[in-house]
Each structure stands twice: as structure tokens, then as C-alpha cells.
Amino acid sequence: MYHSLKELLHKAEEKETLLSEIVLENEIDKFGKSREEIYEMLRDRLKVMEAAAEKALTEELSTAGGLISGIAMRQMNYAESGKTLCGGFINTAMAMALSGSETNAAMGRICAAPTAGACGILPAVLFAIREKYQIGEQEMLNALLTASGIGTVIMKNATVAGAEGGCQAECGVAAAMAAAAGVELCGGTPEQSLTAMSLVLVNCMGLVCDPVAGLVQIPCAQRNASQTVSAMLCIDLALGGMKFPIPPDEVVEAMYRVGRMLPPQLRETAQGGIAATKSGQEIARQVMADEA
């Protein structure tokens, strides 16, 4: 059993194994299930993630107010245009993240990882890496274990709720989970996984939660895309040898403290940030009128 990222890393290094193996052993011990039973549950979740990451790439989904309908398909078309600034890989990953958000807003089936509002990030990172390196199912399942282990520690010692910690606790933690898992997929070490995780949280420290009209659409979808890219960048920073002097557990603690310092207006109440702009308020009135 581990209660901190330090303990998780220590166990992995002590046994000279991956973070995913330590997480798996913990799940077996905690729930009394076999390896195959746990992997079967992970397969089900991976299928849900894959379907959501692809669903809106080729069709425009109906979302409340039409606020983000069609954004994933347009981004995917752009990714395939050959005219992108950041290349097809990054743009395809963003499109998959947007697809997850659009599917969620259309009341489709998603896997909250760690929340519905941040559901597009982990799948986008994992599936983009899978396509780039032709990674097999077993490695993908192990990546989910690593992501879940990171998420579990953060939930235990901090929060993943926008209402408590701002969007840094939702999209930020999702990206942190994705970065740690992505490093493992790319052949990095457990230490590099935690470095990537820390860098993600540092780079979005203080990110507010300000959903327009109180809906998990704007700017949630756009942040799913941007935090997907952040996870990719932090994976490369970690794999490139970047060291970070603040221990991962202290980064999580800092994120939590910062989140608690945010005023209520910036924690999912739709009373601050872009939700409180003139245009944001007008969109809210239109959405409410449409639903009346």
C-alpha cells in the first residue's frame, strides 16, 4: 500500500519495476481480484475512452446551446489538411480531446478520468502515443494503471474537483495523470513519470474553473485540448532529462493550497472568469431561454 507519490516511486525503484506494476499489486491486494479480472475491467474502460475519443471526429454532436458542436470534427479536418503549424500529431491529439468533451456535452458515454469535465485528456494522450509508436493493448492497460495510481494519490491528498480546487484540479490533474502514463508508454522511468506529472501541475497552477452558463463546455473543451498538449510537452521535457527540484508530493500539496485560496467565483460557480464576461452572460441567458 502507498499513500504518497514518494512511497509509490520508492516501491517501484525497490522492486526495479514500473509504476503500473505497483499499482496493479495494490489493486489485487485491496480488492482481492486477480490480475486478469483487473485487466478486464481496464479493457472495458479503454473501449469507452476510445469510442469517446473518436465519436465526434467524423460527426457533429448535439450539445446544449450548440456551444461546442462540431469542434472536434473541424479540428480533425485541420489536422489532416497538411497546413498545421504544430503538425498532424499534436492537432490529432487535440481533436481527440475535443471529441471526448463534445461526447460528454452530448450526453454520450465517457470515462471520467478523473472527472467528466476533463474526460478528453487522458484518452487523447494515450491514443495519440499508441498511433505514433504502434503500442499494444497490454501496454495501454498498464498506462491506465499508472494514470489511476497517480490520480488516486492526488484524490487522497488533494482534490480533483473544480468546485474545490479550480480547473487545475480537473484538467490539470487529468493532464498530470496522462503525462505520467505517457512517459511509461514511451519507455521512461518511474522517476521521469513523476517529473512529467509535476511539470504539468506547475504549468497550470492556479488555473480557474469558470464554465460559461455553468455548462461543462466552454472553456472546458478548449482546456481539454490545451492540457493534452501540455501533457505531451511535459512528457518530452521529462524524457529529455529535465529535473524538477520540488518533490511531486509537495507539488500536489501546493496545487491543493492554491486551489483553496481561489475565491468561490473562480471555482465552478460560473460567477467569475470568462463566465462573468458580458458575452459569457449573454450566452448563459440564451441557453436558459432555449431550455425554457
Side-chain angles (χ1 to χ4, degrees):
M1 185 65 180
Y2 50 86
H3 302 280
S4 68
L5 297 170
K6 180 180 180 180
E7 290 178 6
L8 176 58
L9 178 61
H10 175 71
K11 288 179 179 293
E13 292 182 334
E14 185 178 48
K15 294 189 174 184
E16 297 183 343
T17 190
L18 300 173
L19 294 178
S20 57
E21 179 62 24
I22 302 302
V23 177
L24 177 59
E25 291 175 358
N26 184 67
E27 293 297 298
I28 292 171
D29 181 65
K30 185 175 182 180
F31 296 105
K33 295 184 180 294
S34 68
R35 282 175 173 260
E36 187 49 44
E37 286 175 323
I38 292 172
Y39 277 128
E40 191 57 37
M41 289 190 293
L42 290 169
R43 284 189 190 94
D44 290 339
R45 285 155 179 76
L46 192 66
K47 289 176 183 176
V48 172
M49 289 181 173
E50 186 170 26
E54 295 178 351
K55 184 175 179 60
L57 296 181
T58 56
E59 63 176 311
E60 181 175 319
L61 306 184
S62 176
T63 62
L67 298 183
I68 60 172
S69 295
I71 60 172
M73 183 172 62
R74 289 192 292 274
Q75 195 66 42
M76 191 63 193
N77 290 340
Y78 178 63
E80 295 174 340
S81 70
K83 301 177 181 179
T84 68
L85 177 63
C86 295
F89 175 73
I90 288 294
N91 278 277
T92 297
M94 289 194 293
M96 287 192 288
L98 293 172
S99 179
S101 290
E102 193 172 339
T103 298
N104 177 56
M107 302 302 290
R109 193 176 183 208
I110 55 93
C111 186
T115 66
C119 69
I121 298 168
L122 178 60
V125 172
L126 297 187
F127 293 127
I129 294 174
R130 182 187 68 178
E131 295 307 308
K132 184 176 179 66
Y133 294 119
Q134 299 300 301
I135 290 170
E137 181 189 65
Q138 188 61 54
E139 289 80 8
M140 294 291 287
L141 299 179
N142 287 340
L144 287 185
L145 283 167
T146 294
S148 66
I150 298 298
T152 297
V153 172
I154 294 176
M155 287 183 68
K156 177 180 176 61
N157 298 325
T159 184
V160 297
E164 186 176 13
C167 199
Q168 59 165 9
E170 290 208 30
C171 287
V173 171
M177 293 164 59
V183 166
E184 185 169 312
L185 276 183
C186 293
T189 66
E191 182 180 10
Q192 288 173 326
S193 283
L194 295 187
T195 295
M197 181 226 77
S198 296
L199 292 171
V200 167
L201 291 181
V202 168
N203 289 343
C204 71
M205 194 78 71
L207 185 60
V208 304
C209 185
D210 51 348
V212 171
L215 300 173
V216 186
Q217 296 190 45
I218 299 174
C220 312
Q222 291 81 4
R223 288 178 182 157
N224 270 252
S226 66
Q227 291 304 306
T228 291
V229 176
S230 177
M232 298 288 197
L233 295 178
C234 292
I235 289 170
D236 263 347
L237 286 171
L239 292 175
M242 175 71 69
K243 302 292 184 180
F244 197 68
I246 310 301
D249 289 304
E250 292 184 29
V251 172
V252 171
E253 180 186 6
M255 181 272 289
Y256 188 42
R257 284 191 280 107
V258 168
R260 297 300 296 271
M261 291 177 184
L262 293 173
Q265 292 88 344
L266 300 178
R267 284 188 274 152
E268 210 172 357
T269 59
Q271 296 176 355
I274 65 165
T277 62
K278 181 179 179 180
S279 295
Q281 292 292 297
E282 180 56 32
I283 290 171
R285 284 190 289 270
Q286 291 176 358
V287 169
M288 287 188 286
D290 290 342
E291 294 181 347

